[in-house]
Amino acid sequence: MSTPGPFLSRLARLAVSLYPASLSRGHEEQWTASLLESWRSERRRRPLLYPLSASMLLAIDLLTGHRIAARLRRRRSRRSRESSMHTLLHDLRFTLRSLRRRPAFTLVAIVLLALGLAANTALWSVVHSVLLRPLPYGDPDRVVTLWSEWSNFDQTWLSMGEARLYRDRVDAFEDFAIYFEDSASFDDLDRPERTRALGASANLLSALGVEPQLGRGFTAEEAEKQRNVVILSSELWQRRYGGDPGLVGSTVGIEGERYDVVGVLPPGLDTPQDLARALHADAWFPLRFPEGTVELEHGGGNHGYLGVGRLREGVTVAELQAQLDAHVVRLAVQGVYPDTMGFRVNASSAADEVVGGLRTALLLFLGAVFMVLLVAVFNVAGLSITEGLRRTGELSLRRALGASGGRLVRQSLLEALVLSLLASGVGAALAAGALALFRRFAPPDLPRLDGVAITPFALGVGLLLSLVAAVLFGLWPALWTRRLANPSSRRATGGRGGRRARTLVTTLQVALSLVLVIGTALMARSLAGLLAVDPGFSTREAATFRVFMPTSYFPEAAEVVAAYERLLESLRSEPGVEGAGAVRLLPLASTMGDFGVRVEGYEPPPGEHPSAEWQSVTPGYFDALGIALVAGRDFDARDRSDSEQVVIVNEAFVRAYVPEGEVLGRGVRLGGGGEHGGDDERGWTSIVGVVADVRHDTILSTPKPTWYRPHTQFAASTGFVARSMTVVARTEQDAATLGPAIRRAADAADPRLAVGEQRTLSEVMASQVAGSRLSTFVLVAFAGTALVLATLGILGVLSHLARQRGREIAIRMAVGARPADAVSLVLGQGVRMLAAGLLLGIAGAIAVTRSLSNQLYGIDPLDLSTFAIALPVVALAGLVACSIPALRASRVQPFAVLHEE
């Protein structure tokens, strides 16, 4: 029996005499340290004294204000941290050595995870750059855009009268500005440069909440009196003028006149409407936006302006929309907007304007890449389970030597974490390459494409996903390894339970792969349907470019007409050019408004105001674009400004306004006035031809009634000459090589002409399906990756199962089983696993593909034929994976296997 020793004597003396106030802190610390050391020593030597000594320590602790207990806790905590860190470092070193000893497993796991993480990192970079990156405005949540809408026009512009009304009478606005789209030719240096421009009201910068990079904005007086002043974009300032700060305050040459440069915009600044279409304006000119509200004319007036507003603090877009709706109702009651017009003005936040149309597609992509990551995680989980079963002996030995189940679980999770971190590094490098491919194949009108890059946010998401992946594929094998404590658990784990785990993860891989393949097949068939749509013209080899005839060079309409005739004649004389013509607005590359019409013999129903879209074209345009002439004749040299006024209409015009009777020779009155939209001062024109319908706004837009006037007579219909036109040149060679010929033709016609927006008709058509093409390309990549991973998963699982059952197969064959029986045994396991995955995938596809409905054209999300195409693809890949280990099993040599056993 232990007897009291010096330790208890010291405890007694300390209990009687020690009091916190009687000792200095240093003296107390010395006593405390000595006492704790003695207590630990006596506890080891005489454990029976432990309860008594612990009680006395507690009493002293209470007398001394808990100082001893606190110090004891601190020491224990420090020792625990040191021990934990030492153990963690030891486990980390062991993990690294273990992974080096298994290079095949390590490399395969890193590659599989890196593929999934790379796709996620790249796509999250796109999401962050396009969707989440703040717009370049002050307090961008308060910036809104306005669009008009009425029958046959889903989204169109505002009239000047409407804009003034919204500015003055809608309380939700703190500021409201307008602008219109234009172009400008800079001709002050050696080479003229044609750029896109805006006519902007003086308050457009304040509505956007930004200040110029240099200089100032427009003053109200400059806008009112239409001064020759200009604000340049930062990009044009750098590109054309070398970023000279002294340019502000000096003049530049624009279309033969001198303009004062009053400011330079911040880099990358564009209006929300331009950001949404990936357009950029290099010059802003002042636009007159008069004070005061005016009474709106019938229909609201001529719609040609875009609106940008800034909401008052605390006002929502929904509240703004309610105020706008109230004004429209009031104006409809007053008869400004007839009921048959169905007029509405729509407000949207700047963020929705810019990226609203992309949200669905990007969320679809995020779901797809997450499925790819899950397939990779399940694949690595299957590999990890297989590795755990292969290392059963090692793990059992470690357990027998004293390693706890928790230590084994931690070791497995640490291994998963190391693999995930290594894979995230490889994935980040692969993501950079994936983004380069994305930028190459992305449609040029993708909003904010220039800002797409690997961002810290995306890297953080990739790192987070790697940690989640580590838990997903590390925890399950870890729980299995914890059961490897004795032979019975080893057999259970390596038998039915292990097979079930690996079968489950492989089944999930097959299911996810099938969902992706079905979604990809739907997108591919939708793209094929889009490519099969007839736009109404031929997209074979033809080049297009934009030309403008400024008033300073060509003040009279006759001079503009003559300059276009010289340009076209010069272009037609170039080698390889088969034909050329010009049009006011090129189909599938612009948006066109309507014009009031009155057709001889057509009496519109009450409340209807007939209208049609309007074009100015030159002779040779229909032939150059490949638009079929259905009836009558084309424009030619006889159609001069002083000859009979003629017009060509499309088939939609005939269906709408001449459903019966002879079309040719029928009179059409064009213009914006009169009871039905005609203007008596402009007189009647005669229909001399009918051409095929053309899809103008988009490839899916319904052709609208359209009339074409010869460029020589256009001013007689509209009151102005079409100075800016797109020239189409049909060629027998590669249209992309016509650039030098176009420049030579422009120089020959007039060296002052600036040529811009050069592209081929094939590029114009491609831009219409670029979004669907990109979606299909991305999904094909994701689905292909998932299918390969799933195939490898099936192959790996069946190969391991075949090796596990090698002894059983050898015995079967030794007692008379045929090789075909071994094939059937292994193949049966794989087919059951594959069938379960296909059934689960079909159910998942039915639930998931409904979200694709807005992305598809001409095909139902549950199209049975698409499912019938996708199923054999996945099934065939799975059968190939099943057949390899089955054939290996059939070649088993029974005596060799049994001898080895």
Side-chain angles (χ1 to χ4, degrees), residues 721-751:
V721 65
R723 293 181 174 273
S724 182
M725 301 184 76
T726 297
V727 178
V728 180
R730 181 73 60 183
T731 179
E732 57 188 14
Q733 58 193 32
D734 184 3
T737 64
L738 277 186
I742 290 171
R743 187 64 256 174
R744 287 194 302 268
D747 289 341
D750 195 312

Side-chain angles (χ1 to χ4, degrees), residues 216-229:
R216 59 173 177 82
F218 300 128
T219 65
E221 181 185 8
E222 289 169 341
E224 179 67 24
K225 297 184 178 180
Q226 300 288 278
R227 304 286 193 191
N228 276 16
V229 294

Side-chain angles (χ1 to χ4, degrees), residues 224-269:
E224 179 67 24
K225 297 184 178 180
Q226 300 288 278
R227 304 286 193 191
N228 276 16
V229 294
V230 63
I231 300 175
L232 304 180
S233 72
S234 178
E235 292 74 16
L236 179 72
W237 174 59
Q238 294 282 354
R239 180 180 71 245
R240 188 172 178 86
Y241 299 105
D244 180 14
L247 186 67
V248 177
S250 61
T251 63
V252 295
I254 302 176
E255 296 172 0
E257 298 184 17
R258 303 303 297 182
Y259 280 73
D260 294 322
V261 180
V262 299
V264 175
L265 297 171
L269 179 68

Side-chain angles (χ1 to χ4, degrees), residues 503-552:
T503 299
L504 177 59
V505 296
T506 306
T507 299
L508 292 175
Q509 290 182 68
V510 174
L512 290 174
S513 300
L514 180 59
V515 172
L516 283 175
V517 170
I518 289 175
T520 302
L522 288 171
M523 292 298 299
R525 296 192 63 186
S526 175
L527 176 61
L530 281 175
L531 293 175
V533 173
D534 181 11
F537 58 88
S538 173
T539 59
R540 69 178 181 85
E541 300 299 342
T544 70
F545 59 95
R546 193 80 176 164
V547 178
F548 180 71
M549 306 289 179
T551 307
S552 56

Side-chain angles (χ1 to χ4, degrees), residues 672-739:
E675 181 182 358
H676 299 292
D679 188 336
D680 293 338
E681 295 181 359
R682 291 177 183 154
W684 293 85
T685 59
S686 297
I687 299 176
V688 296
V690 179
V691 294
D693 291 335
V694 171
R695 299 177 187 270
H696 187 94
D697 293 346
T698 69
I699 191 63
L700 298 181
S701 60
T702 302
K704 301 173 184 176
T706 306
W707 56 264
Y708 301 84
R709 286 279 270 151
H711 189 230
T712 54
Q713 300 179 356
F714 188 70
S717 298
T718 61
F720 62 89
V721 65
R723 293 181 174 273
S724 182
M725 301 184 76
T726 297
V727 178
V728 180
R730 181 73 60 183
T731 179
E732 57 188 14
Q733 58 193 32
D734 184 3
T737 64
L738 277 186

